[in-house]
Amino acid sequence: MVQRSKQYDYSANKKLNNYVRLKYQNQLSNGALHVYLLAMPYLEEKQSGFCQQVTANYDELGQATCRDYSGMKNPLLELKGVLCEVVIGKPIKGGKKATVIRRYNLQELKEKKLQSKIIDKSPAHAQTLAKILESRSFIYGDNLTYKPYWDASKTGRVVSHKPNVQGDSKNDRAERLRHGLLKGQFLFDLDIKQAEPSIIQQVLKYKFPSDPYQMLADVSEFDRKEAKQKINMLAYAISAVKIVRYWSLEAQEMFLPYAKQLDKYKAKLWESWKPKGKQRRFIDTLGGSRVYADRGQRNNKGKILNWHIQGTVADIINTASLEIIQREQAEGWKFLFPEHDSIYVVGKNQHQEKLKQVIISKAKDLNLDLSVGVQSYVVGKTQ
């Protein structure tokens, strides 16, 4: 549940709105003025405070104006750089990235010193990779110039939309990408094996005596697939210990030490990156990228660890992707796109080991020892 700002400056809001009505009433459309005069004060009070940045998708902005705004983008573009600082978000499956808006205060408008105060929540390497991908296309099935839009989430994942090639099944994606292969070429799917669980165990300095998923399956009613889900869920739950205490006694004996270390690490992250004053909560990844919480949103220790680890995977994948792109001309391979903890590249058989080592070396830069699996495809069959 979103908490309302305790002290909203209604007097300052009234002065600002009156100034805008007098100066801009004939310069902006009714749609833009409705967003400014109705939606923004409502969202500021609900989320962050007077003239502080707010985050909302188009539906939320429409509800706040009491109108159906299917064409919300145009009013926002009218306001951008005139009355507000606006960063328009793009729809990301699962990421729910929304538009970020900050109204300029009265002093900024009068003195025409319009400052940029919105914090960009996507790491630089993610923004760079997304920008490069925006200018590239690839063969996908019968489409010879397949060109999705690309965007960077706050944890650094570079994601596709319109169309969402990352949303296709792994087999379907490989089958369509093979249409672009020439004789002697391979499609490489380079995947960090158990990326997030491996990183978590390394930062905890915890090593299971054998495969943890099978360990849990052997002493519980879960099959291996269910056991994997249960164990991975512990990392991002508020309390791993509370969950494990509902398992069988034998499973508790095996996994309580791990759960306790997990919760201890979560608590350490939570306290280490505790915000000061009105700052937003944030967490740094192992690669030094900073992940900011959205204003007005409730956070918990599990969510913070999720950003910390998922952002670290993005550090590795994105920096590896950028190096592979940089070496394209010299090596003769072609980078296609990332997909969470994997990378698709078209190349020749001799490129496979070099490509693996690029990803492994980026992990080693962060003092992580990760394994990379490679699935290769040629026209008509999988290797």
Side-chain angles (χ1 to χ4, degrees):
M1 182 177 176
V2 176
Q3 291 181 319
R4 287 183 177 274
S5 177
K6 291 182 180 179
Q7 295 181 331
Y8 188 76
D9 196 334
Y10 295 101
S11 176
N13 178 64
K14 184 176 180 180
K15 289 179 183 177
L16 177 62
N17 283 358
N18 286 339
Y19 177 84
V20 167
R21 284 189 180 96
L22 286 171
K23 293 283 185 178
Y24 294 91
Q25 187 168 337
N26 297 321
Q27 298 180 40
L28 296 169
S29 69
N30 287 337
L33 288 170
H34 284 152
V35 171
Y36 187 88
L37 299 172
L38 297 177
M40 289 306 297
Y42 171 78
L43 292 169
E44 287 172 355
E45 182 184 4
K46 187 178 180 182
Q47 292 187 20
S48 53
F50 175 67
C51 280
Q52 299 298 312
Q53 73 182 55
V54 300
T55 303
N57 58 35
Y58 287 178
D59 287 341
E60 290 167 332
L61 286 166
Q63 289 172 12
T65 57
C66 302
R67 294 180 63 173
D68 176 19
Y69 269 109
S70 55
M72 186 60 67
K73 188 173 183 179
N74 287 335
L76 290 173
L77 291 176
E78 284 187 66
L79 294 171
K80 185 176 181 179
V82 179
L83 294 179
C84 300
E85 187 183 357
V86 180
V87 177
I88 295 179
K90 300 175 184 177
I92 299 173
K93 184 178 181 181
K96 300 180 181 177
K97 181 177 179 182
T99 293
V100 183
I101 316 168
R102 182 188 72 87
R103 292 197 294 176
Y104 299 127
N105 61 40
L106 190 56
Q107 183 178 357
E108 287 176 291
L109 291 177
K110 285 182 175 180
E111 297 179 0
K112 298 190 182 303
K113 293 180 179 179
L114 308 181
Q115 303 176 66
S116 177
K117 293 184 178 180
I118 287 180
I119 299 173
D120 198 323
K121 297 177 290 184
S122 300
H125 54 62
Q127 294 179 54
T128 300
L129 181 55
K131 188 174 182 179
I132 290 171
L133 291 176
E134 287 280 2
S135 65
R136 296 160 69 106
S137 65
F138 50 90
I139 296 173
Y140 198 62
D142 295 331
N143 192 327
L144 302 182
T145 55
Y146 202 72
K147 195 175 183 180
Y149 288 96
W150 297 91
D151 207 357
S153 72
K154 67 183 176 185
T155 58
R157 280 184 171 176
V158 175
V159 289
S160 63
H161 54 104
K162 295 182 180 178
N164 181 17
V165 65
Q166 294 171 327
D168 292 339
S169 71
K170 190 180 184 72
N171 290 337
D172 188 37
R173 189 162 52 236
E175 182 60 37
R176 295 187 185 190
L177 288 172
R178 280 196 292 208
H179 282 238
L181 297 178
L182 301 175
K183 186 177 180 180
Q185 287 185 325
F186 290 78
L187 169 66
F188 297 118
D189 176 4
L190 301 119
D191 174 74
I192 301 176
K193 295 180 180 179
Q194 297 183 351
E196 293 185 23
S198 295
I199 293 172
I200 289 169
Q201 289 176 48
Q202 288 184 50
V203 297
L204 295 181
K205 296 181 172 56
Y206 191 97
K207 189 172 179 62
F208 287 102
S210 61
D211 176 7
Y213 308 141
Q214 194 58 51
M215 285 169 58
L216 180 57
D218 289 342
V219 296
S220 70
E221 71 276 16
F222 310 128
D223 61 26
R224 193 179 184 282
K225 184 178 179 180
E226 291 172 321
K228 179 178 179 179
Q229 293 173 340
K230 297 290 183 183
I231 292 172
N232 290 344
M233 181 180 68
L234 296 178
Y236 307 131
I238 296 174
S239 172
V241 168
K242 285 184 179 179
I243 293 173
V244 171
R245 289 199 188 280
Y246 282 99
W247 293 355
S248 68
L249 289 176
E250 200 172 353
Q252 286 186 46
E253 282 185 27
M254 289 181 178
F255 289 96
L256 268 177
Y258 174 68
K260 288 177 180 178
Q261 282 196 228
L262 256 179
D263 286 349
K264 185 177 179 181
Y265 190 71
K266 292 176 202 173
K268 177 184 174 183
L269 292 177
W270 184 261
E271 288 302 317
S272 297
W273 302 104
K274 193 173 183 178
K276 297 178 182 178
K278 294 184 178 180
Q279 290 182 346
R280 281 190 291 168
R281 180 173 282 282
F282 62 85
I283 185 69
D284 282 353
T285 67
L286 298 181
S289 298
R290 184 154 289 184
V291 182
Y292 287 94
D294 290 333
R295 291 189 185 277
Q297 298 297 310
R298 283 189 179 276
N299 301 298
N300 58 58
K301 296 172 185 176
K303 187 184 289 187
I304 295 300
L305 178 62
N306 184 20
W307 295 342
H308 180 58
I309 300 300
Q310 189 180 108
T312 297
V313 175
D315 290 336
I316 297 166
I317 289 294
N318 292 346
T319 54
S321 296
L322 291 171
E323 180 174 327
I324 291 168
I325 291 169
Q326 183 184 21
R327 292 169 57 182
E328 270 183 337
Q329 190 171 358
E331 300 286 356
W333 56 52
K334 182 184 178 183
F335 177 87
L336 295 180
F337 54 86
E339 202 276 319
H340 300 329
D341 52 7
S342 64
I343 295 173
Y344 287 93
V345 183
V346 171
K348 296 186 176 180
N349 193 43
Q350 62 266 30
H351 292 148
Q352 180 171 318
E353 191 58 33
K354 283 186 179 181
L355 290 165
K356 276 180 61 176
Q357 289 306 316
V358 172
I359 301 173
I360 290 170
S361 69
K362 297 303 179 184
K364 286 190 180 298
D365 288 344
L366 307 184
N367 296 315
L368 294 170
D369 185 15
L370 300 180
S371 299
V372 175
V374 183
Q375 193 160 10
S376 60
Y377 306 83
V378 293
V379 177
K381 62 180 180 178
T382 304
Q383 296 297 299

